Amino acid sequence: MSLENDRYSISPPDLEQRWMIEMYDVHKWFVDFHVLKHINLKVDRGERIVICGPSGSGKSTLIRCINRLEEHQRGRIVVDGTELTNDLKNVDAIRREVGIVFQQFNLFPHLTAVENLMLAPIWVLKMPKAEARDLAMKYLERVRIPEQADKYPGQLSGGQQQRVAIARSLCMSPKIMLFDEPTSALDPEMIKEVLDVMVGLADEGMTMLCVTHEMGFARTVADRMMFMDGGEIIEIAEPKTFFSSPKNERTQLFLSQVLEH
Amino acid sequence: MSQYNLIDNPNSSNRPPVINVGIIGWLRHNLFSSWTNTVLTVVAAGIIYSLFPPLFQWAILDADWSGVSRESCTGKGACWVFIKTWFWHLIFGLYPVDERWRVVLAFGILIVASIPLFIPWFKYKALVGVFLLIGFPVLAYFLFVGDILGMPLVETPLWGGLFLTLVIAGCGIVLSLPLGILLALARRSSMPVLRGLSVAFIELWRGVPLITVLFMASVMFPLFLPEGVNFDKLLRALIAVTLFSAAYMAEVVRGGLQAIPRGQYEAAQSVGLSYWRMMTFVILPQALKHVIPGIVNSFIALFKDTTLVAIIGLFDFLGMLQVARSDPDWLGFAPEGYVFGGLVFWIFCFGMSRYSQYLEKEFRTESQ
Ligand SMILES: Nc1ncnc2c1ncn2[C@@H]1O[C@H](COP(=O)(O)OP(=O)(O)OP(=O)(O)O)[C@@H](O)[C@H]1O
Ligand SMILES: [Mg+2]
């Protein structure tokens, strides 16, 4: 398909800004360990991509490169038309558009839930305090825990903390949400409440890149599945084909291991 | 566990067993809970008994309290007349008697302005804090120095006693914390030059005794200044004490920064906070909270170290005590002087220590 070719071809960023995220031959090394190799990826607006792969394959590193928590050393990354360079202005601009949710939540433990949400709107968007509070409450309602607003993270369950973390990102109205194994630190009974929130986001058309091994979730929301191994993108396909007839051996092996459980 | 008798008393099982409450319960629980504890209690009681009564006898019962000269002292106990006679000099040094109200006024304002900080429901703590950190020092400077609004000039060589100690310690404390924070941040910076400078600065100051620093500041430093340029001696001592203490503070703060997980930085960056906002609102509040005991420890050390300024001819509280005890009229009363001096220092340092515990408790309840 021509569309498919287009996705993988190394071409300059297109002017109509069709793509939300473009990565052209991206490489990254940790000292002399080659973590990311030949990463070429284009993500459409509103597209949901679920990334899976064995531990250490570079999934986290890949998505963390998109908001400059890690720096790539070769190739180009363009987010919503802005290229990630050493220019701090670009980095700031991109970080405003990209939200990220971590495996370990990373809430600010010295602030209450609602204060966690208000911090960035007040200091980055220069929003008046009252307005920021309203906004924060709106998003806490959205993740269905408005009643926990004045509790500290240490007083919340894992699932509640992760939902606060998602709400904290949403407060900055990001165009892209990155998720790095958002449910793997959670007890089984809390996984669903977090996934429900994520499905809700997907339904609203958020562009999402999600590293997860929740294959049920992947089947429901993913537009494309991506399998990584050894720092490379091994296979990208629509969920149907990806799960039923994966082309690559390593994908097959991985899927057989994951789906067994 | 047999003393708890829980099973024998089913009726009172939802209340603590009688034997565990009240004075006897407390004694049993805290002083005689085991053999080692009992031995320690007995030994400690013995030491207290052999030391305290003689001290009490000397300092209170046999002491002489009234009079105006050494003739009023019998010599059996402490001669507090000595302290009484010198008291105001110990407090103000050589600050002119008619101008002392300015010092009293400044410290009065300080105390009154600090009270709201301890009232939980008081809303404008930040405003008061700004006044205390910026407005008050300016106000105090003009009050102390004078030469404005008809107040005569009081030059710094006349400052002395507890007043001078508090000025040096206060400036040192207020300035060394922010400076120490900046140094600690620089030391963890990703910029090699900044990091190198910070490491060099910290190691330099930590490696030299404060006495040397003070001595250099007062004797050597002027040699490098051009002829006729005069640099206030107190100011030099202040700078020396502040930089010295900042180097220690930097290491304490760095310890706190190291305890903050990387995820906190990443979360702050990813919501778009700039470096300084991230530090101010996310990283430092947590890091400083971890090291309150260390910070207060440095403050206490600084407070006591101010006594070293006597070396360079400033008459701080202890310096003034030395002047007093070498007064020909009052020779031989060094013990009274040092006991009194020790007590005054202890009151201040103990106060700081309690305040630190109060802060720790405050922060703990806040985030749990
Ligand atoms: N800061 C770092 N310094 C050096 N090596 C690193 C660093 N971060 C990650 N690595 C290495 O890079 C490789 C890829 O790490 P990454 O976290 O991206 O893997 P992952 O696919 O997310 O794995 P997991 O499923 O365990 O989270 C791993 O081998 C890891 O040890
Ligand atoms: Mg990972």
Side-chain angles (χ1 to χ4, degrees), chain A residues 59-61 103 180-181 211:
Chain A
K59 308 176 298 287
S60 303
T61 311
Q103 183 175 352
D180 190 359
E181 307 202 35
V211 177

Side-chain angles (χ1 to χ4, degrees), chain A residues 30 33 35 53-61 70 180-181 213, chain B residues 262:
Chain A
F30 282 121
F33 174 57
V35 239
S55 180
S57 55
K59 308 176 298 287
S60 303
T61 311
E70 303 286 358
D180 190 359
E181 307 202 35
H213 293 146
Chain B
R262 193 166 142 211

Side-chain angles (χ1 to χ4, degrees), chain B residues 72-141:
Chain B
S72 333
C73 289
T74 57
K76 259 173 72 196
C79 178
W80 297 126
V81 182
F82 165 56
I83 300 295
K84 254 175 68 182
T85 312
W86 276 91
F87 186 77
W88 294 112
H89 277 109
L90 293 177
I91 301 294
F92 294 106
L94 302 177
Y95 209 89
V97 178
D98 291 341
E99 306 301 324
R100 284 178 184 167
W101 61 269
R102 285 154 45 178
V103 176
V104 176
L105 178 65
F107 281 95
I109 293 175
L110 179 64
I111 292 170
V112 171
S114 307
I115 291 174
L117 296 181
F118 293 88
I119 304 174
W121 46 260
F122 185 75
K123 275 217 179 94
Y124 305 102
K125 286 200 176 93
L127 217 64
V128 173
V130 169
F131 169 74
L132 284 175
L133 286 178
I134 297 167
F136 178 74
V138 175
L139 183 75
Y141 173 83

Side-chain angles (χ1 to χ4, degrees), chain A residues 20-72:
Chain A
M20 197 58 132
I21 302 170
E22 299 153 273
M23 299 177 98
Y24 301 100
D25 195 29
V26 170
H27 290 256
K28 174 166 181 64
W29 288 262
F30 282 121
V31 194
D32 49 8
F33 174 57
H34 204 167
V35 239
L36 293 182
K37 305 170 189 162
H38 304 292
I39 303 293
N40 283 296
L41 175 69
K42 287 184 179 178
V43 181
D44 228 330
R45 291 176 183 275
E47 191 175 27
R48 278 96 55 173
I49 296 186
V50 169
I51 304 169
C52 60
S55 180
S57 55
K59 308 176 298 287
S60 303
T61 311
L62 173 71
I63 64 166
R64 287 154 58 87
C65 277
I66 294 170
N67 69 345
R68 251 306 147 102
L69 290 181
E70 303 286 358
E71 202 171 318
H72 62 286

Side-chain angles (χ1 to χ4, degrees), chain B residues 57-220:
Chain B
Q57 188 85 23
W58 176 80
I60 311 284
L61 297 181
D62 288 348
D64 300 297
W65 299 89
S66 57
V68 282
S69 72
R70 63 182 304 147
E71 276 70 46
S72 333
C73 289
T74 57
K76 259 173 72 196
C79 178
W80 297 126
V81 182
F82 165 56
I83 300 295
K84 254 175 68 182
T85 312
W86 276 91
F87 186 77
W88 294 112
H89 277 109
L90 293 177
I91 301 294
F92 294 106
L94 302 177
Y95 209 89
V97 178
D98 291 341
E99 306 301 324
R100 284 178 184 167
W101 61 269
R102 285 154 45 178
V103 176
V104 176
L105 178 65
F107 281 95
I109 293 175
L110 179 64
I111 292 170
V112 171
S114 307
I115 291 174
L117 296 181
F118 293 88
I119 304 174
W121 46 260
F122 185 75
K123 275 217 179 94
Y124 305 102
K125 286 200 176 93
L127 217 64
V128 173
V130 169
F131 169 74
L132 284 175
L133 286 178
I134 297 167
F136 178 74
V138 175
L139 183 75
Y141 173 83
F142 285 116
L143 275 172
F144 294 161
V145 177
D147 207 13
I148 191 174
L149 300 174
M151 292 185 294
L153 176 71
V154 180
E155 303 213 42
T156 55
L158 297 178
W159 300 17
L162 186 61
F163 158 57
L164 184 66
T165 296
L166 291 177
V167 168
I168 298 175
C171 290
I173 285 172
V174 169
L175 296 174
S176 71
L177 182 59
L179 205 58
I181 291 174
L182 290 179
L183 280 169
L185 293 180
R187 191 165 184 170
R188 289 173 57 85
S189 141
S190 54
M191 286 177 262
V193 177
L194 204 56
R195 202 166 53 222
L197 284 175
S198 161
V199 171
F201 181 93
I202 293 172
E203 297 307 335
L204 177 74
W205 288 92
R206 282 208 307 169
V208 211
L210 180 57
I211 290 200
T212 327
V213 175
L214 287 170
F215 194 73
M216 299 244 292
S218 86
V219 181
M220 307 269 295

